[in-house]
Amino acid sequence: MNRLTDSTASVSLSNMANTRLLLTKMMLNDGGEEELVLRSYEKDGLKMVIFYLMVVLSLGLVLLLIYWKPELECYLKKRRCALYKAEVVMIKDHYGHASVVKVDYIFLDDVSTAEGYNRHVYHDAPVDVDDTTVLVTGDSPTIRYFDFQQIRYIWDAQQYTFRKLEDLSSGTRCATIHDEFPGLSASTQAHKRLLHGLNSIVIEVKSYWRLFIEEVLNPFYIFQVCSIILWAFDEYYYYASCIFLISLISISVSLYETKRQSQTLSDMVGSLETNISVCRGGQEFEEIPNQNLVPGDLIAIPPHGCVMMCDAVLVAGTCIVNESMLTGESVPVTKTPLSHQEDEEVYTPENHKRHTLFAGTHVVQTRYYGQAKVLAVVVRTGFNTAKGELVRAILYPKPLGFKFYQDAMRFILFLAVVASLGMIYSIIIETQMGAYPGKIVLRVLDIITIVVPPALPAAMTVGTVYAQNRLKKAGIFCISPPRINFCGRINTFCFDKTGTLTEDGLDMWGVVPAQNQCFQEPIRKLPELPRSQILVCMATCHSLTLIDGELMGDPLDLIMFNSLNWSLEEPGQDNTKYDTLMPTIVKPSDKDSFISDEVPFEVGIVRQFTFSSSMQRMSVITRTLGHNHMEIYSKGAPEKIASLCNPETVPENFQPVLHTYTVQGLRVIALAYRPLEAKVNWHQVQRISRDKVECNLTFLGLLVMQNQLKPETTPVIRTLLEAKLRTVMVTGDMIQTAVSVSRNCGMVQPRDKVVIVNAHPPDKQQTARIEWEYAELPTDIDIVSEQDTDIDSDAGQDSRAALLPPESVVVNASSPLLSPGSESRMTAVKGYRTVNVSDEGPRHHLAITGKSFAVITAHFPEMLEKICTKGTVFARMSPEQKCQLIQNLQKLDYIVGMCGDGANDCEALKAAHAGISLSEAEASVAAPFTSRISNIECVVTAMREGRAALVTSFGCFKYMALYSFIQFVSVLILYTFGANLSDFEFLYIDLVITTTIAVLMGYTGPYHKLVRKKPPGSLVKVSNLLSIIMQVLLVGGMQVSAYFYLRSQSWYEEPPPSKDLENVQSWESTVIFLVSSYMYISVAFCFSKGPPFRKPIYTNYPFLISMMFLFGFSTFLLLLPLPEIEHFLEMKELHEKSITFRLYLFGFAVAFAIMSSFMEYMIVDSSMLKPCYKAIKKRGPQNRYKVVENEIKNSDWPPVGQVTFPTTNAIHVSDIHVEMNSQSAIH
């Protein structure tokens, strides 16, 4: 960096430094979801005095408020200060949540060590320390830092800011890893450990006492405690005791579950303390505990494997690793050492994952040469590792932001406003009655506990708890219960293809060899392949390995190799004849068929270039026994391999033939090879870069495999489409294969059209552009139509048959498909046959590759909304792009579900509103749902349960709201006359009736099918508000009517005013109690709706029986009251009054039940009011995707056959012609 030396520049630099030195606020991780806003504070003596005075005067309430709102500590006790003087920092995250964190210090042995840390940690920071740095850090060698959500941030004394503590995973060149980390000394390691902390992922399991204190300090339980104290002062001892007992039981159950879940998570992510060998320089190695590792340590991987405790990059040797903890796939992966050809690259674990051993993964075997060790440099430790990131995602999940919960909080505030109005009314009435002030206060406060019921939050989660248990019985495990409600609102579901929609395994279809720029006849029986390069390519170009004598590796490689009837031998003692130290050997199992006159036909695999999803290929360098030269064999995506081949070796009809297979859903892989010069020896091969050998290849042919649909896929997709749910395929496979599978499984209907979006980045000739082309050719429509007709004709037939190409379609020299006439037809631009299967006609679906998706994101951002709204097939998508797609759909206001099973899906599963992993591996804890059902039937199950849970939550909330209003109306009527309900009357209403109903209401199971109608997502929906308002008015009218009926009795006498407001045994309280008890039961019946989201109410036997019992007992109290029960409940002598009076009261109860049900089912749910609901809804803001859909519907989009440029809209074909031929149709 150039240093400014003139005086003006020095003054400017000094002013800038002083300005930054006085900063009191800064931003960390700018622009991402981990964005943090930092404010610095220090102690303020005067504020501290005032604070402690407030604590004393408020009887500790201020401390409770600080516990609930940590930022208040900074406002009440501290003052703002410069960052460099901060004693605490207040951190607000991306979602507005605030935390207060203490700034701590690390004391080092000497100043030079501290300066060394600055130089190492911040690569771009200047090395020398000026006077300002001394001013900030002082003379003592200390480093200031704070930890937030398990991530450490340290003070950069030269930039005057806090920065995230960096390790070798960011900003480190590959050459640096090779050259500058030969092993750390014990003292250097100890100093680094002070800075980075221990290499461990420890989840604190809190003691029961601490959990108890934290639980009791929850606002819900604080409200309960205050209510119990209030009831005790009001002499409701029995009621207060029962609520206290129930709360104690609730707390105990909650503590047990919290402790159990915390212990389970701790056991799952924890690992045994083991030792590992670290290099101290040269050949000196020392055994140390794994937790002592720091970034920069050079470790030796044990020969018989281990479980990795850190993220480390291989620098010598090879490892076979099981990464199921991270990816959900138990297929072993080969990890190769970081090569010197990558020296100029900046190392990142994502881009160099083929060289990186991740924490939590299991190293099964190591491969090394002679007595050499397999060495790796530690790049990340603790919570910074890949496993640590997974755990942090669980410990600090992204807020859900579900509208239902937001509306619930608003409704509780509304109830608080209602309570305040009731309090004002109560004060006025009781003051006029001349009541004692103390009693007035108690009655006024009691209204709060009535209108805002303490059990409301618990009642809202009942349906979710039942749904979670039912999901568990169905083999679906949920670690985030609130996400179950999201399942009820999903309107778009994304699916991975391989292993999710299709079977994990592949079936070998055959090989199509190429020779002299022509494809030969397909060979279906691979053991009959002649001795040739294509045979050797299939036998060697893989990453298979022997583990405990069993051949393991990628399923595709296994199927390819096993189809040849060859055998594989791992390195043995005799390896000199291959001019290499320790190769893997492959050879035919039937040696007699392949023995030459001189030497047996055996091939040694000298070096592997492992598969890379970004490169879309893998390669091996081999040497055949008896040959004086080596060869490179490559296999991968056909378009990628063809681009690496000598054009003179690629068949002229490559694209049409490839298209013929892919359009039928077959998996196609291209094969190629090239002989290397004889002078290339083993040592050169080990250091050569793949780019230098993966070029100018000779095209060998196509390997064709079948990827069959799972039998459950098509019925599930049909179920989702019938329920008007959008389905999207997100895969890493070829776009034509994905389009074919989307047709076979029903995502794309037989007569729908698929438009491929080909976006090209800008080049020297022209700017970025988008070409819009139909996916299928006229000939393809016939093929696809045949397949779809077969599916439609027999819905129950296994759809996998559709993927098997008939012999008439097999591509060979005599095939009509490739005859001269056919080829000319394929290159001609023809119209498509369309059959209108509905009034709307055929729909258009977009199909796009990851490459085009990236171009559109960068150069056509205004087009992205339409692409995401109309896209059905997203192919060749990287893991990051899958996650980006989910996030873009969410920005369009879609509620998105995601179902996948592998490494490419983890990020998308976490990003979706409801991610379902079909993996049982530990990585699935990063997804809210994990299914042991290895097919997508779990999607329908989760959505049915989600809908049932959501409707139950609405029903419970509405019931608890009506429960509050019923009791609120009751006490206001009674307060008017200085009366109140008795202790046991409250108990009967709150515990016997309300608690029983609230607990059992959610037990009703989900409806057996998904319907088109979706449950409401908001409490403030017009129908919900209308329902609550009408029910409240009916409650008030009926209770007032019952009271006036009581006053009309000849024997009624108005009770005298009571200053102590203790008139509980009165005719007013008796009548209101009996009539209102029926109301609680009636509204519970009204709000326990069955189809189309839940089973009918009569299937919920516990709830039905309890309702019948409560109705019967209330009727018994009214019509056949016993003196003993009347005395126990402190009722008036009802048995002494005429049966006519009691029957009239029973009539009020029955009338309320009939009118309540009529309003709920005949008025609120009436089809006549639906147009009104829709009209009101249209006035509100529409979901963004609906706006985009309307824009597309009212325009001629997509512009098929046209080209779109960034600066213009679609340009007509007459201006820029895009031929719809076989070449362009499959790009």
Side-chain angles (χ1 to χ4, degrees), residues 364-511:
V364 182
Q365 283 185 1
T366 61
R367 302 284 172 80
Y368 51 92
Y369 306 114
Q371 300 301 314
K373 295 179 180 290
V374 176
L375 301 177
V377 174
V378 177
V379 292
R380 297 189 296 198
T381 58
F383 279 95
N384 291 314
T385 61
K387 181 179 179 180
E389 290 176 0
L390 274 179
V391 176
R392 287 202 310 118
I394 300 171
L395 295 177
Y396 312 105
K398 183 174 67 173
L400 298 176
F402 195 27
K403 190 171 177 56
F404 171 67
Y405 299 115
Q406 298 169 1
D407 292 342
M409 293 302 105
R410 295 191 189 102
F411 197 82
I412 290 175
L413 291 177
F414 169 73
L415 292 178
V417 173
V418 172
S420 64
L421 296 176
M423 292 165 68
I424 294 171
Y425 173 80
S426 177
I427 291 172
I428 294 172
I429 291 296
E430 291 166 358
T431 302
Q432 292 176 349
M433 294 172 58
Y436 297 122
K439 286 296 181 179
I440 294 176
V441 171
L442 290 177
R443 287 291 177 268
V444 167
L445 294 176
D446 196 30
I447 289 180
I448 300 177
T449 67
I450 291 171
V451 179
V452 186
L456 181 59
M460 289 170 57
T461 62
V462 167
T464 304
V465 172
Y466 284 127
Q468 186 178 11
N469 290 331
R470 288 193 295 264
L471 285 171
K472 188 175 181 180
K473 291 178 181 178
I476 303 171
F477 300 91
C478 176
I479 63 168
S480 180
R483 299 265 183 175
I484 295 176
N485 282 338
F486 272 106
C487 290
R489 291 288 299 164
I490 287 175
N491 50 26
T492 298
F493 223 103
C494 300
F495 296 92
D496 179 38
K497 183 181 76 69
T498 307
T500 303
L501 298 175
T502 62
E503 299 284 2
D504 287 316
L506 298 168
D507 295 329
M508 179 62 68
W509 185 86
V511 175

Side-chain angles (χ1 to χ4, degrees), residues 68 128 178 225 304 356 375 424 428 453 488 549 561 566 581 606 685 729 830 850 903 937 1086 1097 1143:
W68 292 338
D128 52 335
H178 274 294
V225 170
H304 300 293
T356 305
L375 301 177
I424 294 171
I428 294 172
F561 186 80
W566 279 43
L581 292 180
V606 179
V685 164
M729 184 190 300
K830 286 194 174 184
E937 283 182 338
C1086 291
I1097 188 174
L1143 286 174

Side-chain angles (χ1 to χ4, degrees), residues 473-739:
K473 291 178 181 178
I476 303 171
F477 300 91
C478 176
I479 63 168
S480 180
R483 299 265 183 175
I484 295 176
N485 282 338
F486 272 106
C487 290
R489 291 288 299 164
I490 287 175
N491 50 26
T492 298
F493 223 103
C494 300
F495 296 92
D496 179 38
K497 183 181 76 69
T498 307
T500 303
L501 298 175
T502 62
E503 299 284 2
D504 287 316
L506 298 168
D507 295 329
M508 179 62 68
W509 185 86
V511 175
V512 186
Q515 189 174 359
N516 300 326
Q517 282 193 285
C518 292
F519 282 110
Q520 308 300 305
E521 288 193 15
I523 299 175
R524 302 293 296 273
K525 297 180 180 179
L526 298 192
E528 297 179 2
L529 273 172
R531 177 175 173 177
S532 61
Q533 278 80 21
I534 196 169
L535 175 66
V536 178
C537 183
M538 294 174 61
T540 59
C541 197
H542 52 70
S543 57
L544 301 178
T545 185
L546 287 172
I547 298 177
D548 296 328
E550 183 181 357
L551 198 62
M552 299 188 70
D554 186 270
L556 186 148
D557 290 343
L558 277 171
I559 293 167
M560 178 182 69
F561 186 80
N562 289 333
S563 65
L564 301 176
N565 196 25
W566 279 43
S567 62
L568 180 143
E569 294 180 1
E570 298 284 16
Q573 297 296 324
D574 184 16
N575 49 55
T576 55
K577 56 186 176 182
Y578 295 97
D579 190 28
T580 179
L581 292 180
M582 305 185 75
T584 296
I585 304 165
V586 293
K587 56 187 177 182
S589 296
D590 186 4
K591 295 185 178 180
D592 295 334
S593 303
F594 289 92
I595 291 181
S596 64
D597 296 337
E598 299 179 359
V599 292
F601 183 39
E602 297 180 0
V603 184
I605 302 174
V606 179
R607 186 177 178 191
Q608 278 186 4
F609 297 106
T610 55
F611 176 78
S612 167
S613 57
S614 60
M615 295 182 176
Q616 298 181 330
R617 66 184 184 274
M618 78 160 293
S619 299
V620 292
I621 296 178
T622 69
R623 181 167 182 178
T624 304
L625 190 61
H627 289 192
N628 62 352
H629 67 276
M630 298 184 189
E631 297 167 317
I632 180 169
Y633 291 93
S634 300
K635 80 172 192 298
E639 60 270 29
K640 175 59 68 174
I641 294 297
S643 68
L644 299 175
C645 290
N646 185 339
E648 296 179 358
T649 66
V650 180
E652 294 180 357
N653 58 351
F654 171 77
Q655 293 287 3
V657 172
L658 174 62
H659 181 73
T660 303
Y661 286 113
T662 56
V663 79
Q664 299 169 72
L666 295 169
R667 181 81 176 269
V668 183
I669 296 168
L671 309 174
Y673 99 110
R674 177 166 72 90
L676 301 181
E677 296 181 6
K679 63 181 181 180
V680 177
N681 58 33
W682 181 86
H683 295 286
Q684 292 173 324
V685 164
Q686 299 307 314
R687 299 183 65 87
I688 199 169
S689 68
R690 63 188 304 172
D691 295 336
K692 293 181 179 178
V693 289
E694 290 179 333
C695 60
N696 200 29
L697 302 175
T698 298
F699 189 82
L700 293 176
L702 301 175
L703 176 67
V704 185
M705 293 184 172
Q706 294 171 200
N707 193 194
Q708 298 176 340
L709 282 175
K710 292 181 178 180
E712 301 84 4
T713 295
T714 302
V716 170
I717 296 297
R718 185 184 298 116
T719 298
L720 297 178
L721 293 177
E722 288 174 353
K724 287 294 182 182
L725 293 164
R726 182 185 171 197
T727 56
V728 177
M729 184 190 300
V730 191
T731 178
D733 209 341
M734 284 186 62
I735 191 167
Q736 290 293 347
T737 302
V739 168

Side-chain angles (χ1 to χ4, degrees), residues 44 60 84 105 127 141 154 164 252 321 324 387 461 502 505 571 588 736 747 769 825 850 888 1038 1044 1202:
D44 186 313
Y84 76 90
Y105 294 84
V127 174
I154 68 171
K164 184 177 179 180
S252 300
V321 183
S324 61
K387 181 179 179 180
T461 62
T502 62
Q736 290 293 347
M747 279 188 186
R769 63 197 183 280
R825 288 196 301 271
N888 280 314
M1038 280 297 176
F1044 280 113
Q1202 302 177 13

Side-chain angles (χ1 to χ4, degrees), residues 864-889:
L864 197 58
E865 286 189 341
K866 291 184 178 180
I867 297 289
C868 292
T869 302
K870 295 295 289 183
T872 299
V873 176
F874 294 83
R876 293 292 193 220
M877 297 286 279
S878 68
E880 294 77 14
Q881 288 177 322
K882 289 184 179 183
C883 184
Q884 290 170 13
L885 174 63
I886 297 293
Q887 292 169 344
N888 280 314
L889 290 172

Side-chain angles (χ1 to χ4, degrees), residues 748-773:
V748 178
Q749 295 301 305
R751 296 302 168 185
D752 288 353
K753 297 180 180 180
V754 179
V755 177
I756 292 184
V757 184
N758 280 325
H760 303 277
D763 50 34
K764 295 180 179 179
Q765 282 74 32
Q766 52 187 320
T767 62
R769 63 197 183 280
I770 304 176
E771 297 173 357
W772 310 81
E773 306 161 346

